[in-house]
Amino acid sequence: MRTITYAILTFTFVFAFAANSYSQCKTFTKSKCNPKLSPYIYNGQLNSAVLNEGDVAELMLTFYSDHDYRIVVCAAGEVEPVTFSLKDNAGNVIFSNEDHNLVDTWDFHTNSTQQLRVEVGVPEDDNPKKQKSGCVSILVGFLDSGE
Amino acid sequence: MSLVSLLFIVGCKSKSDKTKSDIIDNIEVDMSERKEDKTVKKIFLNLPSPIELTKMLLAANAEFDKELLNPVANVDKYISSGSLALNFGIYGTDLCYCRVFEELQESISYLAAIRNVTDKLQIPEEEGSNTLNRIEESLEDRDSIFQIISDTYAGANSYLKENERDITATLILLGGWVEGMHLATNIKDQLKDNSAVVQRIAEQKYSLENIMLIVEQYKDDASIALMYNELENLSKIYKTVGVSQSKAVVVTDEETGVTTIDNKTQFDISKDQLDEITKLVGQIRVKIVS
């Protein structure tokens, strides 16, 4: 009986923690990341997760020809700044923020339609005793060209 | 994308570890070969916004065709959560189409239908309907209207994920994509020069790959099961659509400062393939809106 009670309590704690983390991540994304997309129009899809150092996240999306896009990679607190790169279908690196002072946004125009992959990484630091962890969001916006 | 092996939830939207992820644009993939170094790899799959597709239809000189839309009167037919979510997506794309073509009165009607659906889906006002009030206030302001529509989707998307209603978020995006395909496949037959629309239909090869990775998780869900065979057949057809791409080069214009990903992508799609895609999209849509 004690085992069951312990399991329920553990589950409740984990569930509540996870739900709270998600809510905090959502709040962080809404308040800190979404404004960075302006004046680009948000594609409306939330890509957020709590990542630990060493973790990698990827976003796959079709980018249409003759459009202007902005990618925002937004990290909270101790995991900031994060690295991100854009790769084509063959895995060729098109852009890496490590070559641009770890910027958190990149604007670009596309000449042709293609599936691109945004790869985000949380760099590991030298302190093995402390595991860094925080919310990371990848947002995509496009420009209303007034067609 | 054969790397999807085992799905599990981590991070801020997870409710438990190592359970199946249920999110259309947010699939977490366990890269088991990387477990040794404790690296977690998450993959988010997104679909282009329906605004992008409907704007292309205007640019292709298409005429507004109300007959192609799902009548707002149908909204009362939708009872189940799955049906409501799919038609949230359908009506969302219809709203984008109406607004892109400056059909303000129609836009208001579709706005009302979406509000009706969000209420039935029990999406709180601050996440859905409240944003919709902003649309009514600024319906004639083209610059802000698309932003507000996107905010509406984003609010619903994040609320549903937060509340473990990931399948509902999935169905909304799927419905929106199907309606975009329905509009494009029908409008292509109304144009003298339909090359841009045909090109955009062919380009959906990539989006459908993402969609199939997502719906694969939910094929036992009643709403997905209803159209899974057609989606699979659509996927089979799209796999035969040829694509070739040159290597991308990044070029920055020194005068404008605009950075361009410069390359060429060629899609090869035949009339037979187009006809089959049109037929299957029609079949899927009928199941959603009926």
Side-chain angles (χ1 to χ4, degrees), chain B residues 239-288:
Chain B
K239 279 178 182 167
T240 66
V241 172
V243 58
S244 57
Q245 190 171 58
S246 62
K247 190 178 174 185
V249 179
V250 177
V251 182
T252 302
D253 187 310
E254 287 185 7
E255 275 187 28
T256 62
V258 175
T259 299
T260 298
I261 299 176
D262 189 20
N263 60 347
K264 284 195 167 51
T265 307
Q266 176 71 42
F267 289 88
D268 293 312
I269 187 166
S270 68
K271 185 179 180 307
D272 286 349
Q273 288 168 321
L274 266 177
D275 289 346
E276 189 65 17
I277 288 167
T278 302
K279 187 184 86 179
L280 286 165
V281 167
Q283 289 172 355
I284 293 167
R285 184 178 182 273
V286 163
K287 289 188 173 182
I288 295 174

Side-chain angles (χ1 to χ4, degrees), chain B residues 52 56 69 76 98 105 182 193 217 235 251 265 284:
Chain B
E52 294 174 86
M56 182 276 303
L69 306 180
D76 292 329
C98 291
Q105 201 52 50
H182 161 74
D193 177 7
Q217 302 175 75
S235 175
V251 182
T265 307
I284 293 167

Side-chain angles (χ1 to χ4, degrees), chain B residues 130-142:
Chain B
N130 196 39
T131 313
L132 295 176
N133 288 334
R134 290 166 53 206
I135 296 184
E136 278 182 338
E137 290 163 7
S138 54
L139 202 57
E140 293 183 18
D141 181 353
R142 180 193 162 89

Side-chain angles (χ1 to χ4, degrees), chain B residues 26-40:
Chain B
N26 192 341
I27 296 180
E28 291 80 17
V29 182
D30 178 4
M31 301 293 285
S32 51
E33 70 272 22
R34 300 178 67 167
K35 277 271 181 173
E36 291 159 9
D37 59 13
K38 296 181 182 175
T39 297
V40 173

Side-chain angles (χ1 to χ4, degrees), chain B residues 18 41 108 121 132 200:
Chain B
K18 297 192 178 182
K41 190 160 190 172
I108 292 169
L121 281 170
L132 295 176
R200 194 52 44 97

Side-chain angles (χ1 to χ4, degrees), chain A residues 11 14-15 18-19 21-23 25-26 30 39-51 54-62 64-65 67-69 86 88-89 92 94-95 106-117 119 135 138 140 142-147, chain B residues 1 10-15 25-26 34 38-49 51-53 55-56 58-59 126-127 142-143 146-147 150-151 153-154 157-159 161-162 164 173 200 203-204 206-207 209-210 245 247-248 250 258-265 267:
Chain A
F11 172 78
V14 169
F15 183 90
S21 294
Y22 186 87
S23 183
C25 210
K26 177 184 156 187
K30 200 170 180 177
Y40 289 72
I41 298 167
Y42 181 24
N43 77 357
Q45 291 159 79
L46 181 68
N47 310 295
S48 297
V50 170
L51 297 182
D55 286 352
V56 175
E58 288 181 1
L59 165 70
M60 303 283 292
L61 174 62
T62 304
Y64 286 136
S65 59
H67 276 62
D68 294 286
Y69 291 98
L86 212 68
D88 66 14
N89 251 350
N92 300 308
I94 293 170
F95 170 85
W106 191 49
D107 299 346
F108 60 96
H109 179 83
T110 48
N111 271 356
S112 72
T113 296
Q114 55 209 300
Q115 177 102 319
L116 297 176
R117 182 165 18 122
E119 192 172 293
C135 177
I138 313 170
V140 177
F142 58 94
L143 213 51
D144 178 13
S145 57
E147 288 171 298
Chain B
M1 285 297 295
V10 292
C12 58
K13 67 173 184 47
S14 57
K15 303 292 184 184
D25 58 343
N26 192 341
R34 300 178 67 167
K38 296 181 182 175
T39 297
V40 173
K41 190 160 190 172
K42 295 167 57 64
I43 294 186
F44 303 98
L45 297 165
N46 279 195
L47 297 180
S49 162
I51 296 171
E52 294 174 86
L53 185 67
K55 279 175 65 185
M56 182 276 303
L58 178 66
E126 63 268 26
E127 306 287 2
R142 180 193 162 89
D143 290 339
F146 294 130
Q147 196 72 55
S150 288
D151 287 350
Y153 266 85
N157 187 263
S158 62
Y159 171 79
K161 288 177 183 176
E162 184 181 17
E164 288 195 309
L173 291 178
R200 194 52 44 97
E203 290 166 359
Q204 300 307 310
Y206 291 140
S207 289
E209 283 174 6
N210 288 356
Q245 190 171 58
K247 190 178 174 185
V250 177
V258 175
T259 299
T260 298
I261 299 176
D262 189 20
N263 60 347
K264 284 195 167 51
T265 307
F267 289 88

Side-chain angles (χ1 to χ4, degrees), chain B residues 54-257:
Chain B
T54 49
K55 279 175 65 185
M56 182 276 303
L57 297 176
L58 178 66
N61 295 318
E63 298 279 326
F64 180 75
D65 186 352
K66 186 182 171 184
E67 297 303 311
L68 293 177
L69 306 180
N70 184 22
V72 291
N74 280 353
V75 73
D76 292 329
K77 294 198 303 191
Y78 310 128
I79 307 295
S80 71
S81 169
S83 174
L84 287 163
L86 284 163
N87 282 285
F88 181 133
I90 294 272
Y91 284 138
T93 297
D94 287 348
L95 171 61
C96 293
Y97 176 68
C98 291
R99 188 60 192 83
V100 162
F101 282 82
E102 310 278 346
E103 295 287 336
L104 299 185
Q105 201 52 50
E106 291 296 329
S107 300
I108 292 169
S109 301
Y110 280 92
L111 191 60
I114 291 172
R115 177 175 287 127
N116 190 332
V117 171
T118 54
D119 288 347
K120 287 179 181 172
L121 281 170
Q122 297 178 327
I123 296 172
E125 277 203 0
E126 63 268 26
E127 306 287 2
S129 305
N130 196 39
T131 313
L132 295 176
N133 288 334
R134 290 166 53 206
I135 296 184
E136 278 182 338
E137 290 163 7
S138 54
L139 202 57
E140 293 183 18
D141 181 353
R142 180 193 162 89
D143 290 339
S144 64
I145 195 76
F146 294 130
Q147 196 72 55
I148 296 169
I149 292 172
S150 288
D151 287 350
T152 304
Y153 266 85
N157 187 263
S158 62
Y159 171 79
L160 291 167
K161 288 177 183 176
E162 184 181 17
N163 289 277
E164 288 195 309
R165 294 169 64 187
D166 305 353
I167 180 68
T168 305
T170 296
L171 293 171
I172 290 171
L173 291 178
L174 178 59
W177 182 81
V178 168
E179 187 69 346
M181 284 292 289
H182 161 74
L183 294 173
T185 51
N186 281 278
I187 284 173
K188 77 176 190 311
D189 297 327
Q190 302 173 1
L191 298 170
K192 280 184 184 170
D193 177 7
N194 65 6
S195 55
V197 179
V198 168
Q199 169 80 7
R200 194 52 44 97
I201 292 168
E203 290 166 359
Q204 300 307 310
K205 177 183 175 81
Y206 291 140
S207 289
L208 189 63
E209 283 174 6
N210 288 356
I211 286 170
M212 292 312 292
L213 284 169
I214 297 156
V215 299
E216 184 71 25
Q217 302 175 75
Y218 304 122
K219 58 186 179 185
D220 295 332
D221 176 87
S223 299
I224 296 288
L226 190 67
M227 65 186 86
Y228 188 76
N229 285 343
E230 286 82 0
L231 283 169
E232 263 200 323
N233 289 335
L234 195 56
S235 175
K236 283 177 190 165
I237 293 292
Y238 263 108
K239 279 178 182 167
T240 66
V241 172
V243 58
S244 57
Q245 190 171 58
S246 62
K247 190 178 174 185
V249 179
V250 177
V251 182
T252 302
D253 187 310
E254 287 185 7
E255 275 187 28
T256 62

